Amino acid sequence: MSERFLVSGGNRLVGEVSVGGAKNSVLKLMAAALLAEGTSIITNCPDILDVPLMAEVLRGLGCDVELEGDVVRITTPAEPKHHADFPAVTQFRASVCVLGPLVARCRRAVVALPGGDAIGSRPLDMHQSGLRLLGAHSEIQHGCVVAEADELRGANIRLAFPSVGATENILMAAVLAKGETVIDNAAREPDIVDVCNMLNEMGANVTGAGTSTLTIKGVESLKPTTHRVIGDRIVAATWGIAASMTRGDVRVRGVNPKHLSLVLDKLRAAGSEVTSEPDGFRVVQHERPTAVNFATLPFPGFPTDLQPMAIGLAAVANGTSMITENVFEARFRFVEEMIRLGADARTDGHHAVVRGVPQLSSAPVWSSDIRAGAGLVLAGLCADGVTEVHDVYHIDRGYPRFVENLTALGGNIERVS
């Protein structure tokens, strides 16, 4: 059944909110459990739709998966199945992260081309070329990525772009390859560090996590482990930006503020009082935000996942902002919906120019992806009247208890069918 949010604007967000585990980590950690026979336990898992979808992917590969609260137990058989070609795979992008572990464990993988958010082209070229350098043969056949190898051997691999997904797949294949693998221009995101930490807990030998060079010394086998997911920096930053947009006062718990250094600096530049705390941060905004320019880049740059929220902030700020999208070319699709809400915005290629207005106006809008949906809700909090946000299942894929958390902070939002 189609659901939508009714968002009434005008309220300041005030209070405290806790974030759960990172969406961009937990799905990859679940895939990493394929690398070891036995039961791995992942804690601090977020209550989002993509977790049970990933559980279905793993069950289709022969694993036994139990979901209980924020704990996922994954029991991997001695011989996992190698064919991930079923409906759950095509529903979300992260399903492709089983490719590397399957090639490592089974020496063969068949993974249906994944679906996910409509934010632009995200080809698997770097995933495949990395696996080929490790000794695998990989190609696209009948709508699936097919990779197989008699033996994986370490290699020197330089990525053309610090792709998170490619880094993860190559990394998880290399941990069981013979010899040493070096990945240059690797992604540096905290989610990559989280995966590296879990792999090392399982007995892998990975160094350089958090830098642009990962060194992996292959081992014979891995063992199951228990691992806690890091806090979700994108969800945390969403609440921080919401505080700035609504001239509110919000304390966010459950995240390492060092993972959001640049984002918090941008909020300070917008006029917010930002205080970092051991397990989070606090954002207080007294006056209308000041316009700030944003340019999305791989970590430690400004996250592309926060670009819709940056545009929302620019839409109500005092002055003109330029937002440059350097990662996904179709992410500005969201701007059309912001214009429905009265935003003064224009796009040209990789750039958007947004002239802030004192108040947005309510209208029906449609989510095209997880972050666009959240950005539209934040804009609705700054609009007159009631804004209808449609296709909210996207938001449920990335934000646990979204309506409940927003309501607890004083937001006026209702989910209706």
Side-chain angles (χ1 to χ4, degrees):
M1 182 178 294
S2 176
E3 293 183 322
R4 66 189 189 279
F5 292 157
L6 302 181
V7 184
S8 298
N11 291 1
R12 295 178 71 232
L13 296 189
V14 178
E16 183 175 305
V17 61
S18 294
V19 302
K23 169 189 178 293
N24 291 338
S25 275
V26 67
L27 306 176
K28 322 303 176 60
L29 299 172
M30 292 173 70
L34 287 166
L35 289 164
E37 179 184 356
T39 302
S40 289
I41 300 172
I42 302 173
T43 64
N44 196 36
C45 294
D47 182 17
I48 56 175
L49 289 180
D50 277 8
V51 169
L53 281 175
M54 191 65 180
E56 282 304 304
V57 172
L58 296 179
R59 291 185 184 113
L61 295 169
C63 299
D64 180 50
V65 185
E66 299 176 18
L67 307 177
E68 184 177 347
D70 69 346
V71 178
V72 177
R73 291 179 176 82
I74 302 166
T75 302
T76 302
E79 296 183 5
K81 299 175 183 177
H82 67 266
H83 197 167
D85 184 17
F86 29 86
V89 175
T90 61
Q91 293 185 51
F92 65 117
R93 175 73 182 184
S95 59
V96 78
C97 66
V98 301
L99 181 64
L102 290 179
V103 174
R105 277 296 303 282
C106 308
R107 296 295 187 260
R108 178 171 171 79
V110 180
V111 182
L113 289 172
D117 294 329
I119 56 177
S121 174
R122 297 194 281 184
L124 301 180
D125 295 356
M126 284 187 286
H127 302 243
Q128 292 183 279
S129 62
L131 293 177
R132 291 181 188 123
L133 288 170
L134 292 174
H137 174 77
S138 181
E139 59 185 348
I140 305 295
Q141 294 181 2
H142 308 294
C144 295
V145 187
V146 180
E148 53 189 341
D150 295 330
E151 182 179 71
L152 293 178
R153 290 190 173 275
N156 291 325
I157 300 170
R158 179 170 182 80
L159 299 179
F161 178 84
S163 160
V164 172
T167 299
E168 288 163 340
N169 260 326
I170 296 166
L171 164 68
M172 290 193 279
V175 291
L176 294 181
K178 289 187 176 180
E180 181 178 280
T181 298
V182 177
I183 307 175
D184 282 322
N185 200 26
R188 301 165 57 188
E189 274 73 2
D191 318 298
I192 294 285
V193 178
D194 205 19
V195 172
C196 290
N197 288 340
M198 178 170 167
L199 292 173
N200 284 337
E201 292 162 10
M202 297 171 74
N205 187 340
V206 182
T207 57
T211 74
S212 59
T213 302
L214 289 176
T215 302
I216 307 107
K217 295 181 179 178
V219 298
E220 289 289 329
S221 62
L222 299 179
K223 63 183 186 299
T225 191
T226 298
H227 182 83
R228 179 180 174 83
V229 187
I230 61 170
D232 197 314
R233 63 194 174 103
I234 304 301
V235 173
T238 299
W239 298 128
I241 294 172
S244 184
M245 289 177 63
T246 63
R247 307 181 199 184
D249 180 352
V250 176
R251 175 176 274 112
V252 182
R253 302 283 195 191
V255 69
N256 184 344
K258 293 180 181 178
H259 295 167
L260 288 165
S261 296
L262 181 58
V263 176
L264 298 182
D265 283 346
K266 288 292 185 180
L267 289 180
R268 292 185 181 98
S272 298
E273 296 176 6
V274 181
T275 307
S276 293
E277 301 177 350
D279 67 336
F281 56 89
R282 180 184 179 188
V283 176
V284 183
Q285 184 82 31
H286 296 292
E287 305 292 339
R288 184 180 172 191
T290 301
V292 178
N293 295 332
F294 297 88
T296 67
L297 287 167
F299 190 85
F302 191 86
T304 182
D305 280 353
L306 290 176
Q307 185 244 81
M309 279 59 87
I311 290 178
L313 179 62
V316 297
N318 184 15
T320 300
S321 304
M322 176 173 285
I323 293 89
T324 303
E325 175 57 53
N326 293 307
V327 182
F328 293 126
E329 74 278 4
R331 201 143 220 170
F332 281 146
R333 200 174 292 177
F334 156 84
V335 175
E336 297 175 6
E337 300 304 302
M338 285 293 298
I339 292 172
R340 291 180 192 269
L341 295 174
D344 184 354
R346 299 292 182 271
T347 61
D348 182 10
H350 290 275
H351 305 285
V353 176
V354 184
R355 296 175 178 84
V357 297
Q359 186 177 44
L360 298 172
S361 57
S362 57
V365 289
W366 281 261
S367 307
S368 57
D369 64 78
I370 297 170
R371 311 305 173 185
L376 290 169
V377 171
L378 299 197
L381 294 173
C382 302
D384 63 356
V386 179
T387 296
E388 292 188 11
V389 182
H390 295 260
D391 293 340
V392 299
Y393 66 91
H394 286 296
I395 301 173
D396 294 332
R397 287 183 46 226
Y399 288 86
R401 297 176 53 80
F402 186 77
V403 171
E404 293 84 351
N405 283 325
L406 195 50
T407 300
L409 292 173
N412 191 338
I413 181 173
E414 180 184 3
R415 182 192 296 267
V416 298
S417 298

